[in-house]
Structures are given as structure tokens and as C-alpha cells.
Amino acid sequence: METKKGDEAVREALDYAFNVVSHNLESRKLELKFEEIGVVSFVGKGIARIRGLPHVRSEEVVLFPGDRLGIAFNLDPEEVAVLLLDKSEKVRAGQVVHRTGKVMEVPVGEELLGRVVDVVGRPLDEGEPIATSERRSIERVAPAIMDRSPVNVPLETGVMAVDAMVPIGRGQRELILGDRQTGKTAVAIDAIINQRDKDVVCVYSSIGQEKSEVAKTIADLRKNDAMENSVAVVASGDDPPGLNYIAPYSATTIAEYFVDKGQDVLIVYDDLTRHARSYRELSLLLRRPPGREAFPGDIFYIHSRLLERATNLKDGGSLTALPIIETQAQDISAYIPTNLISITDGQIYLSPQLYGKGILPAVDVGMSVSRVGGKSQLPAYSKLAGDLRLTYSTFEDLEAYTRFGTRLDEDTRKTLERGQRIREVLKQPQFEPIPAPEQIAVLWAVTAGLLDTVPLGDVPGAKEAIRKALRERLPEISSRIGSGEKLGSQDRDLLLATFKDALAA
């Protein structure tokens, strides 16, 4: 009897042990995971070729050893060509590469405001790590036509020559182009600085510039209190060409987060010349067929799909784009400039001749145009803009003609004198944006002839006197101009009388 009881106890203990083991095996059952891997077969400047990865998708992120990233770009039958997003020194042939199953994404959110980040969203300003709750793909389809609204609200740059004669509206794409060292970035930075108190978020995308230039630009933005509502997305000239290629797309995705929340956003691409060169370099390394000037055939599509994302949404905010392009020897008929001129809604051309004469900003009024911005201008501007542009263009033609020493009649002389004074009031130091009401006040005074008798050397002082008179004596009219009200004849008479008194004082 005792033996039977002992056998039963052992059997029960064994059954219990086997049940526990079976339960644990079932609860911790290992599942086989399918994973594609490839092997690096070639490494070049900014690219790598990989054998394997038969199901990888276009623009999918792949992972190299050391958590280095790349983007699948060419999907050939025998191999995959990848753009490297990190330094290629430690990437070697024979290394294993893994798929991630995701396209390239970038963190977005309010946490990015005031920060300087790289193209992937990593901080470059020695600040705290950035933790955002959302990530978005850098490639997004542009809004449909039916989701867009006409451009009808001005985006004031604070630059008188631009706001008066080449106006920009919120949701517009306005190209800034000119030769090297003509002040293209300066105009764009002034536009960003002027948004610091206008509830407009700004994104500055630096593409392929020297790190010292980028540091100076960001320091200028901080000094002028413009970084609080701005994000700087930086890909320097030392970075791999793949980072320079995706830089503007990452910056646009960051900007679109705020647009979708109903905010107005200004984005500056500085500059798309370097972007095009980076893409050309990558395309030639990837053995894509070269076309005109060795640029690949899809270079127009590369820029158009980027700039088409700028718009004024019906149910949302607006994204205003200021792409910058560098010309060579004033050749605006070159391949990339003509491509971008046809994509954008106008251009601001900066002349090296005006820059050399010290006429800053060096906006060439005759070669600059805004195709849609005029409809968004403040009503007080619209009364001035047509006459101002005509008077200034006539003056420039006459000035060129009179260099030959021609004798002048009285009307021609007066036109020249007024044109010279218009040019003087349009001169403006950098980092000193002028509010729209004060711009209009100065332009009313000069077009009405109040400055015709003022010596050219005294015009800057007269300009400041007019601005001060508007601020201190006519604050009500100033606020009405800024709110978009039309001015009657009595208002204009009061303005001119006040300015006469200010100039006579």
C-alpha cells in the first residue's frame, strides 16, 4: 500500500512538472521572422550598391552597420543603389544591410521651434535632445487644386523695394535669383526677421553651404529675435550629397505640420542651385543618363514636386516659399534658373551692377515680377504701386540715355531728380525691416514730390522724419493702413500736410 501511494505521488509530481513545462513552452513559443538582408558590393562618394533586398521599395530606408542610414534609390534587377545619409568612411564592401520597411521620415512638432536640426531631425545647436510625438514622411503629395484658395493676404517682407513693387502673398512661390554675392540671402533673412511679430512660422533650409556661413546666418536670426518662431534645417557642404538632396523635402515636411494646424508658414530654400548640383552628382554616380548640362532628365520634376507643396489651403494655413538660385554672369536663361522661373509665381532679380553701386537691396525692378502678389497687396499700396513702378522704370531708362551728355529739357530733368529720390528712399540697411504703413507714407511723400527739393544727401534724414511723423502724429491712420482699409482723399491730404510740416521742421 505504501508503495502504491508513493508511485501515485511521483506520478502527480511528474504530471504537474510536465504541465508547467508545456504551459511555458506554449506561452513562449518562438515565431520565425522573415527578414531581407543585402550585402554591400560597392561604395562610392555618397552612394553604395547592394546585392540582395529583392523586395525593397523605392526611397525605403535601409540600415547599415553602426546604425548608419541610406535610402534605396535605384532598383535594378541585380542590385539596389542606395544614397548614404551618413559618412561613408566606415561602410565597406561585404557588410550586411537590413531593410527597415519605412520610407524616410522626419520628426515634426512645436518642439522644433527655435532649434537648429539636421536633415534627419537631430539637434545641431548643442541643445537638449528633441522629443516629438509625431514623425512624417519627407515626401508628400502636393495639395489638390480644389483644396487651394487664391492668394489674397500679403506676406510683408519689410523690404520696401519688394513690398511696394514685387509684392508677395501668403501661399505664393517667389524666386530670388542673382549672381554670387548680390544679397539674395539677405533679402530672405530680412523677410524672416519681419515675421517675428506677425504669427508666421519660418523654416530656413540651408543646402550645401559652408558651416561658417550657416552659423553667421543663424546668429543674425538670434540677434534679431527671429529664432523663437523659426526652425533651421541644415545640410552643410561637408555632408554627404544624399543629405543635401533630401534637405528641402525634410524642411517642407516640418513646415507642413504647422500649415495643417492652420498657421501661416514661410520657408526659405538657400539655395536650390546647390541642391540641383547634389542631385546631378548623385545621378551621375548612379549612372542615370545625363541630359542638358549633365543634369538628369527629371531635374524639373525634382524641383516642381517640391515647390508645388507651397500653397494657400482652404481649410488650413498657408506655405509661402522663397527659393534662392544663383546665376552665373547674369545668365537667367540657364537651365536651372529657367526651370525654376517657370515653376514659381514670379522672381526677384538682384543686379550685380546695382550692388556694385551700393544700391541695397539691389532689386532690379525691370527684371523682377510678382504674378499673383499684387492681388494681395494692401489697398494703400495699390494706389501707389503702378505709378511708382512706371516712374522708376522711366527714370532708369532716362538715366542710361543721359550718360551720353544729352541736353535735358525741364520735364526730363524733373523725372530724373524724382527718380533719384525714389532710389534713395528704396535703399535700406539689412536687419531693419520697415512696417507697411511707414513704407506707404514714405512712398506717398516721394511720389507726391515732397522730396523733390531735398538734396540727395539729406533724403535718408527726410525719410526718417516722415516715418516718425506717421508714428507720432497719425497713429490712427497708420493702424487703418495696416488693417487694410482704403484711404480717402482727405486722409491723403492730411498725410501730405503732416509730412510737409515734418520736413520743414
Side-chain angles (χ1 to χ4, degrees):
M1 294 294 292
E2 291 181 1
T3 303
K4 289 183 178 179
K5 290 182 179 179
D7 291 344
E8 289 178 1
V10 170
R11 190 178 296 109
E12 289 177 0
L14 290 173
D15 288 343
Y16 176 77
F18 284 128
N19 287 335
V20 171
V21 171
S22 298
H23 177 73
N24 286 338
L25 287 174
E26 288 178 2
S27 63
R28 299 187 181 185
K29 188 175 180 180
L30 297 177
E31 295 183 2
L32 294 177
K33 182 180 179 182
F34 176 78
E35 183 178 8
E36 282 188 21
I37 62 171
V39 178
V40 178
S41 60
F42 170 82
V43 180
K45 183 183 177 182
I47 69 157
R49 298 185 186 278
I50 301 169
R51 292 193 176 276
L53 303 180
H55 297 97
V56 71
R57 296 178 295 169
S58 178
E59 300 189 353
E60 180 180 337
V61 177
V62 296
L63 198 61
F64 290 84
D67 291 335
R68 292 176 177 82
L69 302 178
I71 298 179
F73 216 58
N74 276 17
L75 306 182
D76 298 323
E78 299 296 328
E79 62 183 10
V80 177
V82 172
L83 304 185
L84 298 176
L85 301 184
D86 290 292
K87 300 288 186 181
S88 59
E89 286 81 2
K90 295 186 179 180
V91 179
R92 298 282 186 270
Q95 289 180 336
V96 175
V97 182
H98 297 263
R99 286 184 62 187
T100 63
K102 298 179 180 179
V103 295
M104 185 64 199
E105 295 178 335
V106 66
V108 297
E110 306 281 348
E111 296 84 357
L112 291 169
L113 290 175
R115 301 301 299 272
V116 182
V117 298
D118 69 1
V119 172
V120 186
R122 297 170 291 204
L124 297 176
D125 54 5
E126 300 180 354
E128 295 292 327
I130 300 172
T132 62
S133 58
E134 187 177 350
R135 297 179 68 89
R136 291 187 180 184
S137 169
I138 64 170
E139 293 279 6
R140 300 185 71 198
V141 178
I145 292 177
M146 299 307 294
D147 295 332
R148 303 176 183 234
S149 289
V151 174
N152 50 24
V153 177
L155 184 123
E156 297 164 5
T157 66
V159 179
M160 191 181 298
V162 174
D163 291 343
M165 293 185 283
V166 199
I168 300 171
R170 297 188 182 184
Q172 185 175 344
R173 298 154 296 183
E174 185 78 5
L175 181 65
I176 301 175
L177 76 164
D179 283 9
R180 180 179 171 83
Q181 297 295 325
T182 50
K184 302 182 294 297
T185 300
V187 172
I189 294 303
D190 278 352
I192 292 177
I193 291 172
N194 198 51
Q195 311 310 315
R196 57 193 169 192
D197 57 352
K198 291 184 168 54
D199 196 28
V200 175
V201 175
C202 301
V203 178
Y204 176 70
S205 175
S206 174
I207 307 167
Q209 297 189 65
E210 295 293 333
K211 290 183 178 179
S212 58
E213 295 179 10
V214 179
K216 181 181 181 302
T217 298
I218 293 171
D220 290 336
L221 291 174
R222 292 194 190 282
K223 183 179 178 181
N224 290 277
D225 301 323
M227 274 301 291
E228 293 299 319
N229 67 323
S230 301
V231 183
V233 182
V234 177
S236 70
D238 297 335
D239 290 330
L243 283 182
N244 283 289
Y245 165 65
I246 68 171
Y249 300 99
S250 294
T252 306
T253 295
I254 292 171
E256 285 174 336
Y257 168 82
F258 298 100
V259 175
D260 293 341
K261 290 182 61 180
Q263 293 182 263
D264 294 312
V265 183
L266 169 66
I267 185 167
V268 174
Y269 303 110
D270 191 12
D271 63 38
L272 292 187
T273 305
R274 293 183 175 91
H275 181 253
R277 289 171 183 163
S278 296
Y279 184 62
R280 176 173 62 183
E281 178 183 356
L282 291 169
S283 297
L284 293 175
L285 288 168
L286 295 173
R287 300 176 187 172
R288 293 188 173 188
R292 179 177 166 188
E293 297 179 23
F295 285 102
D298 61 345
I299 188 67
F300 182 90
Y301 170 67
I302 291 299
H303 284 154
S304 64
R305 82 166 188 255
L306 170 69
L307 292 171
E308 279 298 317
R309 292 163 72 175
T311 186
N312 183 29
L313 293 176
K314 283 183 180 177
D315 301 316
S318 67
L319 179 58
T320 308
L322 295 181
I324 297 175
I325 273 289
E326 180 183 303
T327 57
Q328 294 183 338
Q330 306 175 57
D331 183 14
I332 65 171
S333 63
Y335 187 32
I336 300 302
T338 51
N339 275 354
L340 284 156
I341 286 172
S342 64
I343 294 169
T344 50
D345 306 313
Q347 69 271 353
I348 299 170
Y349 179 70
L350 300 177
S351 165
Q353 283 84 8
L354 295 177
Y355 188 90
K357 294 177 182 177
I359 301 170
L360 302 176
V363 177
D364 188 321
V365 176
M367 297 183 68
S368 302
V369 64
S370 179
R371 299 186 183 96
V372 297
K375 297 177 182 177
S376 66
Q377 246 183 341
L378 294 175
Y381 267 125
S382 57
K383 291 285 186 181
L384 284 167
D387 293 341
L388 180 68
R389 192 179 180 99
L390 179 61
T391 301
Y392 194 67
S393 298
T394 304
F395 154 69
E396 290 184 319
D397 292 340
L398 284 174
E399 187 181 43
Y401 180 70
T402 55
R403 288 175 186 164
F404 300 103
T406 309
R407 294 181 64 182
L408 305 177
D409 57 43
E410 186 64 18
D411 290 340
T412 303
R413 187 184 61 79
K414 288 181 178 179
T415 302
L416 285 171
E417 288 183 353
R418 181 165 298 179
Q420 290 169 347
R421 281 150 183 80
I422 292 175
R423 175 184 287 170
E424 286 298 315
V425 299
L426 291 178
K427 290 181 181 180
Q428 189 173 335
Q430 193 179 0
F431 311 132
E432 294 183 15
I434 301 174
E438 295 179 23
Q439 291 186 27
I440 291 168
V442 173
L443 294 175
W444 268 115
V446 71
T447 54
L450 296 186
L451 303 183
D452 287 356
T453 57
V454 176
L456 280 179
D458 296 338
V459 168
K463 177 180 173 181
E464 290 303 316
I466 292 169
R467 293 176 58 188
K468 183 178 179 182
L470 180 70
R471 287 194 304 266
E472 297 180 354
R473 303 189 198 179
L474 302 171
E476 182 184 347
I477 292 182
S478 177
S479 63
R480 286 168 53 198
I481 293 173
S483 64
E485 289 188 27
K486 292 184 178 180
L487 296 183
S489 57
Q490 292 181 346
D491 295 322
R492 292 195 290 272
D493 292 342
L494 178 58
L495 282 170
L496 294 179
T498 304
F499 299 154
K500 281 182 181 178
D501 293 341
L503 293 173

mmCIF file of all heavy atoms in Angstrom, residues 396-416:
data_model
loop_
_atom_site.group_PDB
_atom_site.id
_atom_site.type_symbol
_atom_site.label_atom_id
_atom_site.label_comp_id
_atom_site.label_asym_id
_atom_site.label_seq_id
_atom_site.Cartn_x
_atom_site.Cartn_y
_atom_site.Cartn_z
ATOM 1 N N GLU A 396 15.114 104.930 -64.874
ATOM 2 C CA GLU A 396 16.276 104.103 -65.196
ATOM 3 C C GLU A 396 16.623 104.184 -66.680
ATOM 4 O O GLU A 396 17.808 104.249 -67.047
ATOM 5 C CB GLU A 396 16.023 102.648 -64.788
ATOM 6 C CG GLU A 396 15.999 102.450 -63.275
ATOM 7 C CD GLU A 396 15.839 100.992 -62.892
ATOM 8 O OE1 GLU A 396 15.043 100.288 -63.548
ATOM 9 O OE2 GLU A 396 16.506 100.556 -61.944
ATOM 10 N N ASP A 397 15.593 104.224 -67.540
ATOM 11 C CA ASP A 397 15.851 104.346 -68.982
ATOM 12 C C ASP A 397 16.478 105.702 -69.302
ATOM 13 O O ASP A 397 17.440 105.799 -70.085
ATOM 14 C CB ASP A 397 14.553 104.168 -69.769
ATOM 15 C CG ASP A 397 14.031 102.744 -69.690
ATOM 16 O OD1 ASP A 397 14.827 101.846 -69.371
ATOM 17 O OD2 ASP A 397 12.828 102.531 -69.937
ATOM 18 N N LEU A 398 15.921 106.758 -68.699
ATOM 19 C CA LEU A 398 16.443 108.100 -68.955
ATOM 20 C C LEU A 398 17.861 108.250 -68.424
ATOM 21 O O LEU A 398 18.715 108.884 -69.045
ATOM 22 C CB LEU A 398 15.539 109.151 -68.299
ATOM 23 C CG LEU A 398 14.215 109.450 -69.007
ATOM 24 C CD1 LEU A 398 13.376 110.401 -68.159
ATOM 25 C CD2 LEU A 398 14.461 110.053 -70.387
ATOM 26 N N GLU A 399 18.127 107.648 -67.276
ATOM 27 C CA GLU A 399 19.455 107.744 -66.689
ATOM 28 C C GLU A 399 20.495 107.112 -67.611
ATOM 29 O O GLU A 399 21.596 107.657 -67.802
ATOM 30 C CB GLU A 399 19.470 107.050 -65.323
ATOM 31 C CG GLU A 399 20.781 107.242 -64.566
ATOM 32 C CD GLU A 399 20.766 106.530 -63.229
ATOM 33 O OE1 GLU A 399 20.285 105.384 -63.180
ATOM 34 O OE2 GLU A 399 21.222 107.114 -62.237
ATOM 35 N N ALA A 400 20.155 105.984 -68.201
ATOM 36 C CA ALA A 400 21.083 105.337 -69.128
ATOM 37 C C ALA A 400 21.293 106.194 -70.368
ATOM 38 O O ALA A 400 22.407 106.298 -70.901
ATOM 39 C CB ALA A 400 20.549 103.959 -69.522
ATOM 40 N N TYR A 401 20.226 106.851 -70.814
ATOM 41 C CA TYR A 401 20.308 107.669 -72.032
ATOM 42 C C TYR A 401 21.133 108.932 -71.803
ATOM 43 O O TYR A 401 21.912 109.360 -72.671
ATOM 44 C CB TYR A 401 18.892 108.034 -72.478
ATOM 45 C CG TYR A 401 18.823 108.878 -73.713
ATOM 46 C CD1 TYR A 401 19.151 108.358 -74.961
ATOM 47 C CD2 TYR A 401 18.420 110.220 -73.644
ATOM 48 C CE1 TYR A 401 19.083 109.138 -76.103
ATOM 49 C CE2 TYR A 401 18.357 111.017 -74.764
ATOM 50 C CZ TYR A 401 18.684 110.459 -75.992
ATOM 51 O OH TYR A 401 18.617 111.237 -77.129
ATOM 52 N N THR A 402 20.969 109.543 -70.631
ATOM 53 C CA THR A 402 21.640 110.821 -70.365
ATOM 54 C C THR A 402 23.126 110.671 -70.048
ATOM 55 O O THR A 402 23.815 111.666 -69.862
ATOM 56 C CB THR A 402 20.953 111.546 -69.187
ATOM 57 O OG1 THR A 402 20.926 110.666 -68.051
ATOM 58 C CG2 THR A 402 19.544 111.951 -69.551
ATOM 59 N N ARG A 403 23.622 109.464 -69.974
ATOM 60 C CA ARG A 403 25.054 109.279 -69.767
ATOM 61 C C ARG A 403 25.874 109.787 -70.949
ATOM 62 O O ARG A 403 27.066 110.026 -70.826
ATOM 63 C CB ARG A 403 25.360 107.797 -69.546
ATOM 64 C CG ARG A 403 24.893 107.276 -68.200
ATOM 65 C CD ARG A 403 25.118 105.791 -68.095
ATOM 66 N NE ARG A 403 24.537 105.256 -66.866
ATOM 67 C CZ ARG A 403 24.315 103.974 -66.649
ATOM 68 N NH1 ARG A 403 24.633 103.090 -67.574
ATOM 69 N NH2 ARG A 403 23.795 103.565 -65.518
ATOM 70 N N PHE A 404 25.219 109.915 -72.083
ATOM 71 C CA PHE A 404 25.929 110.371 -73.291
ATOM 72 C C PHE A 404 26.033 111.896 -73.345
ATOM 73 O O PHE A 404 26.469 112.445 -74.350
ATOM 74 C CB PHE A 404 25.221 109.855 -74.542
ATOM 75 C CG PHE A 404 25.161 108.356 -74.609
ATOM 76 C CD1 PHE A 404 23.994 107.682 -74.303
ATOM 77 C CD2 PHE A 404 26.284 107.618 -74.953
ATOM 78 C CE1 PHE A 404 23.934 106.305 -74.358
ATOM 79 C CE2 PHE A 404 26.230 106.239 -75.002
ATOM 80 C CZ PHE A 404 25.056 105.578 -74.707
ATOM 81 N N GLY A 405 25.590 112.575 -72.289
ATOM 82 C CA GLY A 405 25.738 114.024 -72.213
ATOM 83 C C GLY A 405 24.688 114.799 -72.972
ATOM 84 O O GLY A 405 24.927 115.937 -73.376
ATOM 85 N N THR A 406 23.524 114.218 -73.209
ATOM 86 C CA THR A 406 22.457 114.898 -73.933
ATOM 87 C C THR A 406 21.913 116.070 -73.125
ATOM 88 O O THR A 406 21.783 115.988 -71.905
ATOM 89 C CB THR A 406 21.319 113.905 -74.227
ATOM 90 O OG1 THR A 406 21.877 112.743 -74.826
ATOM 91 C CG2 THR A 406 20.282 114.508 -75.129
ATOM 92 N N ARG A 407 21.573 117.143 -73.820
ATOM 93 C CA ARG A 407 20.947 118.285 -73.126
ATOM 94 C C ARG A 407 19.529 117.901 -72.734
ATOM 95 O O ARG A 407 18.802 117.271 -73.502
ATOM 96 C CB ARG A 407 20.919 119.508 -74.046
ATOM 97 C CG ARG A 407 22.317 120.025 -74.366
ATOM 98 C CD ARG A 407 22.246 121.250 -75.244
ATOM 99 N NE ARG A 407 21.588 122.356 -74.555
ATOM 100 C CZ ARG A 407 21.350 123.536 -75.111
ATOM 101 N NH1 ARG A 407 21.733 123.775 -76.370
ATOM 102 N NH2 ARG A 407 20.755 124.489 -74.424
ATOM 103 N N LEU A 408 19.115 118.317 -71.535
ATOM 104 C CA LEU A 408 17.847 117.877 -70.988
ATOM 105 C C LEU A 408 16.848 119.020 -70.925
ATOM 106 O O LEU A 408 17.197 120.162 -70.598
ATOM 107 C CB LEU A 408 18.047 117.332 -69.565
ATOM 108 C CG LEU A 408 19.095 116.210 -69.399
ATOM 109 C CD1 LEU A 408 19.215 115.841 -67.935
ATOM 110 C CD2 LEU A 408 18.731 115.014 -70.235
ATOM 111 N N ASP A 409 15.588 118.706 -71.256
ATOM 112 C CA ASP A 409 14.537 119.702 -71.053
ATOM 113 C C ASP A 409 14.083 119.644 -69.597
ATOM 114 O O ASP A 409 14.500 118.771 -68.816
ATOM 115 C CB ASP A 409 13.366 119.453 -72.005
ATOM 116 C CG ASP A 409 12.771 118.063 -71.858
ATOM 117 O OD1 ASP A 409 12.602 117.618 -70.715
ATOM 118 O OD2 ASP A 409 12.496 117.409 -72.886
ATOM 119 N N GLU A 410 13.212 120.547 -69.217
ATOM 120 C CA GLU A 410 12.814 120.682 -67.819
ATOM 121 C C GLU A 410 12.077 119.444 -67.313
ATOM 122 O O GLU A 410 12.314 118.972 -66.199
ATOM 123 C CB GLU A 410 11.927 121.918 -67.650
ATOM 124 C CG GLU A 410 11.581 122.242 -66.201
ATOM 125 C CD GLU A 410 12.810 122.620 -65.369
ATOM 126 O OE1 GLU A 410 13.863 122.965 -65.967
ATOM 127 O OE2 GLU A 410 12.717 122.574 -64.131
ATOM 128 N N ASP A 411 11.168 118.886 -68.124
ATOM 129 C CA ASP A 411 10.407 117.714 -67.688
ATOM 130 C C ASP A 411 11.320 116.513 -67.470
ATOM 131 O O ASP A 411 11.165 115.771 -66.489
ATOM 132 C CB ASP A 411 9.338 117.362 -68.731
ATOM 133 C CG ASP A 411 8.227 118.407 -68.773
ATOM 134 O OD1 ASP A 411 8.083 119.148 -67.781
ATOM 135 O OD2 ASP A 411 7.513 118.470 -69.796
ATOM 136 N N THR A 412 12.281 116.329 -68.369
ATOM 137 C CA THR A 412 13.214 115.201 -68.222
ATOM 138 C C THR A 412 14.057 115.367 -66.964
ATOM 139 O O THR A 412 14.312 114.410 -66.227
ATOM 140 C CB THR A 412 14.120 115.096 -69.454
ATOM 141 O OG1 THR A 412 13.306 114.961 -70.614
ATOM 142 C CG2 THR A 412 15.053 113.913 -69.343
ATOM 143 N N ARG A 413 14.495 116.596 -66.728
ATOM 144 C CA ARG A 413 15.309 116.844 -65.534
ATOM 145 C C ARG A 413 14.523 116.531 -64.264
ATOM 146 O O ARG A 413 15.052 115.919 -63.318
ATOM 147 C CB ARG A 413 15.767 118.306 -65.526
ATOM 148 C CG ARG A 413 16.756 118.628 -64.411
ATOM 149 C CD ARG A 413 17.079 120.111 -64.404
ATOM 150 N NE ARG A 413 15.886 120.915 -64.174
ATOM 151 C CZ ARG A 413 15.329 121.099 -62.963
ATOM 152 N NH1 ARG A 413 15.856 120.537 -61.900
ATOM 153 N NH2 ARG A 413 14.251 121.843 -62.840
ATOM 154 N N LYS A 414 13.241 116.936 -64.225
ATOM 155 C CA LYS A 414 12.416 116.660 -63.042
ATOM 156 C C LYS A 414 12.198 115.157 -62.852
ATOM 157 O O LYS A 414 12.216 114.650 -61.726
ATOM 158 C CB LYS A 414 11.066 117.368 -63.173
ATOM 159 C CG LYS A 414 11.144 118.876 -63.002
ATOM 160 C CD LYS A 414 9.762 119.504 -63.111
ATOM 161 C CE LYS A 414 9.831 121.024 -62.893
ATOM 162 N NZ LYS A 414 8.487 121.653 -63.029
ATOM 163 N N THR A 415 11.999 114.455 -63.972
ATOM 164 C CA THR A 415 11.835 112.996 -63.891
ATOM 165 C C THR A 415 13.067 112.339 -63.314
ATOM 166 O O THR A 415 12.990 111.434 -62.475
ATOM 167 C CB THR A 415 11.524 112.416 -65.280
ATOM 168 O OG1 THR A 415 10.337 113.026 -65.805
ATOM 169 C CG2 THR A 415 11.337 110.908 -65.217
ATOM 170 N N LEU A 416 14.236 112.813 -63.759
ATOM 171 C CA LEU A 416 15.491 112.254 -63.252
ATOM 172 C C LEU A 416 15.662 112.545 -61.763
ATOM 173 O O LEU A 416 16.067 111.674 -60.978
ATOM 174 C CB LEU A 416 16.674 112.815 -64.038
ATOM 175 C CG LEU A 416 16.883 112.250 -65.443
ATOM 176 C CD1 LEU A 416 17.947 113.049 -66.178
ATOM 177 C CD2 LEU A 416 17.273 110.780 -65.384
#
